[in-house]
Amino acid sequence: MSAATHTGKRWIQHWDPEDTEFWENGGRKVANRNLWFSIFAEHIGFSIWTLWSVLVLFMGPEYGLSPADKFLLVSTPSLVGGLLRIPYTLAVAKFGGRNWTIISAGMLLLPTVLAAIAMEPGTPLWVFMVIAAIGGVGGGNFASSMTNINSFFPERLKGAALGLNAGGGNLGVAAIQVVGLVVISTAGASAPQIIFYIYLPLIVVAMTCAALFMDNIADVKKEGNAMREVLKDKHSYVMSFLYIGTFGSFIGYSFAFGLVLQNQFDRSPLQAAQVTFIGALLGSVIRPVGGWLADKLGGAKVTLWTFLGMAVGTVLCIVASNGDSLALFMTGFIGLFVFSGIGNGSTYKMIPAIFRTKALAAVAEGEAREAAMPRARRLSGALIGIAGAVGALGGLFINLVFRSAFTSTGSGVPAFVAFLVFYGLCFLTTWAVYLRGPIVRTTEERKAALAGAGI
């Protein structure tokens, strides 16, 4: 669809945030308005995506579900959400950022209404799984929201804007877990319907706010070619692998934390709900810190130490599980959330740096800067979408591994051993690809690229 066909009150025909005069004379105000309402809609999307991590805490023996069934149940929206991220990325160009925010928020009504109807003892597992799969639409909202906000801000402000957008969305995980805690502690584990009474109106509010206060940018174009081109680059596969370790861990542990506590330490639903939100909250809040540290120290260095920290947290969980120490287990598990949050920020910072490095090297070899730099932005945007989709699938793997461990041994220790091996592989990959060789990670390396050095 060409830009000429995009007409209407909420379509912006000319948008040039790199023009300082344009930005200061109204552009900033419009961009910030779209940012805050995008954060709100994405926040609700994350909450609905992780809804089942809360609902399983309400499922007592009367539901007839085993721990393995519950891990399978919380794995389902993680899988669907990851798969939807690439089409959601492309939907912004086809429908417009405002329009797609309205549509994608409205789609959250279906899994929420269906869950409200089905949340009764005696409902078959397959029904719960179908509804949980539909709830995966909330996981796609992150990709479209990031793509949309990326178009509104100038390059010098994208990092802060995208960090706020991502962090505000991630907080939706902690928010719904806090709501679940309040409901269980006040109304009891037999009153999950209250959660739906809270979130159904919020979804409607998100749709209404998007309709009233957000805008579409007419000249945003679908970059399907960029996705095909970036898949030819080895960094696409490396960064997607590393993002499984960071964001995949964050979202996977967010889904699994309450179930692991219940099964590893025989906690009640209320006892589990009292602490499950802490990890997701800290992991969300600290994400911008990872980006800031990456700016100061280099994205690869921060990511390397992130995986080391996650390995230490995993070891603590293994020791605590074997020694039946809840306090030590909580320390290790919350450490996993914190380091995965830092890693979320540092890995996302690495992606544009990699392609900017390649562009600077191309400029040093004679390519026009006007061609090299836009290509770098286009490819980094495409890889952010792909890595976001692949990374989200890490949440599926974590829950399936936990399911297998508890089914076969009654303990989460085998799962943590598998995660420890994986974080070791991530550590070695980061070192081998980004710290051992002459690739650009700092200002000094950028100067080397300008002198004609390769990546």
Side-chain angles (χ1 to χ4, degrees):
M1 187 178 292
S2 66
T5 63
H6 290 317
T7 59
K9 181 179 179 181
R10 305 307 307 197
W11 284 94
I12 299 175
Q13 298 300 321
H14 171 72
W15 186 257
D16 186 10
E18 302 297 342
D19 182 335
T20 303
E21 183 177 356
F22 173 88
W23 181 252
E24 296 300 334
N25 293 327
R28 181 195 300 272
K29 181 178 179 181
V30 172
N32 284 332
R33 170 164 45 80
N34 278 270
L35 170 63
W36 292 115
F37 288 106
S38 176
I39 289 174
F40 179 55
E42 184 195 349
H43 178 95
I44 301 301
F46 262 94
S47 292
I48 301 306
W49 189 26
T50 53
L51 171 66
W52 288 92
S53 71
V54 175
L55 293 183
V56 292
L57 300 179
F58 289 83
M59 294 177 168
E62 66 275 15
Y63 280 82
L65 300 181
S66 68
D69 293 335
K70 293 179 182 179
F71 277 113
L72 187 62
L73 185 57
V74 298
S75 300
T76 305
S78 181
L79 169 64
V80 177
L83 295 176
L84 287 177
R85 284 190 165 190
I86 290 179
Y88 268 58
T89 297
L90 300 175
V92 172
K94 183 172 181 62
F95 299 100
R98 164 192 176 265
N99 294 350
W100 184 249
T101 302
I102 299 170
I103 295 169
S104 60
M107 290 167 65
L108 301 174
L109 289 170
L110 179 59
T112 310
V113 170
L114 291 176
I117 295 171
M119 195 65 188
E120 295 286 347
T123 302
L125 174 61
W126 72 266
V127 174
F128 285 134
M129 289 190 62
V130 169
I131 298 172
I134 298 172
V137 297
N141 286 16
F142 172 83
S144 56
S145 181
M146 293 289 277
T147 300
N148 183 40
I149 293 306
N150 183 63
S151 302
F152 275 96
F153 284 82
E155 285 297 320
R156 68 183 186 277
L157 298 177
K158 283 184 189 292
L162 293 176
L164 283 171
N165 197 53
N170 289 171
L171 281 171
V173 180
I176 197 165
Q177 290 174 346
V178 170
V179 170
L181 166 62
V182 172
V183 172
I184 290 176
S185 61
T186 57
S190 61
Q193 308 298 331
I194 297 175
I195 297 176
F196 308 119
Y197 299 149
I198 294 171
Y199 272 92
L200 283 170
L202 287 176
I203 294 171
V204 175
V205 171
M207 293 172 59
T208 303
C209 288
L212 295 177
F213 303 115
M214 292 185 69
D215 304 285
N216 304 300
I217 298 177
D219 62 354
V220 171
K221 297 178 177 62
K222 182 168 64 177
E223 298 290 357
N225 291 336
M227 285 196 170
R228 287 191 290 271
E229 183 178 350
V230 82
L231 287 175
K232 300 175 183 178
D233 194 302
K234 72 172 186 179
H235 294 287
S236 298
Y237 301 93
V238 175
M239 292 308 303
S240 294
F241 176 71
L242 297 181
Y243 204 57
I244 292 174
T246 56
F247 180 77
S249 294
F250 169 80
I251 198 65
Y253 293 140
S254 295
F255 276 107
F257 194 12
L259 282 176
V260 172
L261 282 176
Q262 282 188 294
N263 289 283
Q264 186 71 54
F265 291 93
D266 196 25
R267 300 290 98 178
S268 69
L270 177 58
Q271 289 171 324
Q274 285 174 337
V275 295
T276 51
F277 74 93
I278 297 174
L281 175 63
L282 293 176
S284 300
V285 170
I286 207 167
R287 179 171 181 154
V289 175
W292 177 79
L293 287 172
D295 283 340
K296 298 294 184 181
L297 305 175
K301 291 179 180 178
V302 175
T303 300
L304 185 78
W305 287 103
T306 288
F307 287 122
L308 181 60
M310 294 176 74
V312 171
T314 305
V315 170
L316 290 179
C317 289
I318 294 172
V319 173
S321 298
N322 287 327
D324 198 29
S325 173
L326 179 60
L328 185 60
F329 184 84
M330 288 293 300
T331 300
F333 217 116
I334 290 176
L336 286 170
F337 275 109
V338 169
F339 283 109
S340 68
I342 293 173
N344 284 341
S346 63
T347 48
Y348 252 34
K349 281 285 187 177
M350 287 173 68
I351 291 173
I354 289 167
F355 289 101
R356 179 176 173 81
T357 293
K358 288 177 173 286
L360 290 172
V363 170
E365 294 174 359
E367 183 176 351
R369 186 180 183 89
E370 293 74 14
M373 301 313 290
R375 183 179 68 250
R377 289 192 293 271
R378 189 169 65 251
L379 293 178
S380 63
L383 180 50
I384 284 174
I386 293 171
V390 175
L393 296 178
L396 167 69
F397 301 146
I398 280 178
N399 282 278
L400 290 181
V401 173
F402 271 131
R403 178 179 185 269
S404 176
F406 280 107
T407 299
S408 59
T409 69
S411 169
V413 170
F416 285 116
V417 171
F419 302 151
L420 181 60
V421 172
F422 178 72
Y423 296 142
L425 291 174
C426 290
F427 181 93
L428 291 174
T429 300
T430 305
W431 174 79
V433 178
Y434 296 113
L435 292 171
R436 182 172 61 92
I439 55 89
V440 176
R441 302 174 300 276
T442 64
T443 301
E444 289 73 19
E445 289 165 333
R446 289 183 184 139
K447 291 178 181 177
L450 287 172
I455 298 300

